[in-house]
């Protein structure tokens, strides 16, 4: 009886660990995917700002891009403690270094007193923002921000916050296996009890 209870408890702990681990990984991927898409928007906004021909217009466009870059930084900072492994954590830290450098250049754009200086700093911001996007794109390719609406496909459906299918399947298999094992144990116990009863009658 005690062995049966311990088996059930161990199964419950294993299932909980699988579900929690999958949930953390899913949250990490969602945050980094959002960061990649926002990073692409950031680069596009910088490109638009670079088309300006006067300081005021350039700085106005740069301010919009800077706010988007700060959003990228916030998403990556939120994802960092949820990284499922050292490689993912290292990649996010590397991207954050580029993002921080880009934001520093973006802040210099707002303080520039002449057009050439502002444009130079904005170009520096773009370079770092593009580096950050290149680091993220291989793992989390963002959707084009300017693309027209298209018919969604199953692969493009958004990830919900529900339990991952892999965790559900593993949990179901583990539960079935545990039930089968416990049933075998009960049958063996019943056979043993029956044999002992027959022996006692003799």
């Amino acid at each position: 009886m005690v062995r049966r209870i311990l088996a059930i408890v161990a199964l419950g702990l294993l299932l909980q660990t699988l579900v929690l681990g999958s949930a953390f990984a899913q949250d990490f991927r969602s945050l980094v995917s959002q960061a990649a898409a926002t990073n692409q928007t950031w680069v596009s906004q910088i490109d638009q700002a670079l088309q300006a021909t006067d300081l005021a217009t350039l700085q106005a466009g740069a301010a919009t891009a800077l706010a988007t870059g700060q959003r990228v930084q916030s998403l990556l900072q939120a994802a960092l403690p949820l990284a499922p492994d050292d490689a993912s954590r290292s990649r996010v830290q590397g991207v954050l270094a580029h993002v921080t450098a880009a934001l520093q250049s973006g802040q210099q754009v707002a303080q520039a007193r002449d057009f050439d200086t502002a444009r130079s700093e904005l170009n520096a911001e773009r370079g770092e923002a593009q580096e950050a996007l290149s680091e993220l794109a291989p793992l989390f390719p963002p959707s084009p921000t300017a693309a027209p609406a298209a018919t969604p496909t199953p692969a493009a459906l958004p990830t919900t916050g529900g339990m991952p299918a892999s965790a559900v399947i593993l949990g179901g298999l583990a539960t079935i296996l545990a039930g089968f094992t416990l049933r075998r144990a009960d049958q063996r116990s019943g056979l043993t009890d029956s044999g002992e009863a027959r022996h006692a009658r003799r």
Side-chain angles (χ1 to χ4, degrees):
M1 182 66 179
V2 174
R3 185 179 300 175
R4 192 182 312 170
I5 294 174
L6 290 176
I8 294 173
V9 171
L11 175 62
L13 291 175
L14 176 60
L15 179 58
Q16 185 177 12
T17 300
L18 288 172
V19 171
L20 288 177
S22 298
F24 274 120
Q26 184 180 15
D27 289 343
F28 172 81
R29 183 176 183 84
S30 176
L31 287 167
V32 178
S33 295
Q34 291 178 55
T38 307
N39 197 331
Q40 188 178 43
T41 301
W42 183 18
V43 173
S44 297
Q45 289 173 343
I46 294 173
D47 287 339
Q48 292 175 1
L50 285 170
Q51 296 175 10
T53 56
D54 62 89
L55 180 60
T57 304
L58 185 143
Q59 288 179 327
T64 300
L66 183 63
T68 303
Q70 290 169 341
R71 173 64 176 162
V72 174
Q73 185 182 52
S74 296
L75 287 167
L76 292 174
Q77 288 173 339
L80 187 59
L82 300 178
D85 50 55
D86 290 339
S88 299
R89 187 177 301 106
S90 177
R91 176 173 290 274
V92 172
Q93 288 173 337
V95 174
L96 271 171
H98 289 297
V99 170
T100 300
L103 292 178
Q104 290 173 350
S105 295
Q107 291 166 355
Q108 293 298 318
V109 175
Q111 299 173 9
R113 298 297 182 88
D114 62 87
F115 179 80
D116 289 339
T117 300
R119 185 178 176 82
S120 176
E121 292 292 348
L122 190 57
N123 271 317
E125 179 182 356
R126 189 196 186 286
E128 293 291 348
Q130 183 61 53
E131 283 293 330
L133 183 60
S134 298
E135 288 287 332
L136 289 172
L139 291 179
F140 307 98
S143 300
T145 55
T151 303
T153 61
L157 291 176
T159 302
T160 63
M163 185 182 299
S166 59
V168 174
I169 294 172
L170 288 174
L173 291 175
T175 302
I176 293 171
L177 179 60
F180 178 74
T181 302
L182 292 176
R183 181 177 296 179
R184 290 284 300 271
D186 287 342
Q187 290 175 350
R188 289 178 181 175
S189 177
L191 290 175
T192 302
D193 291 344
S194 177
E196 290 178 351
R198 287 197 301 269
H199 180 72
R201 285 196 297 269
R202 290 178 185 176

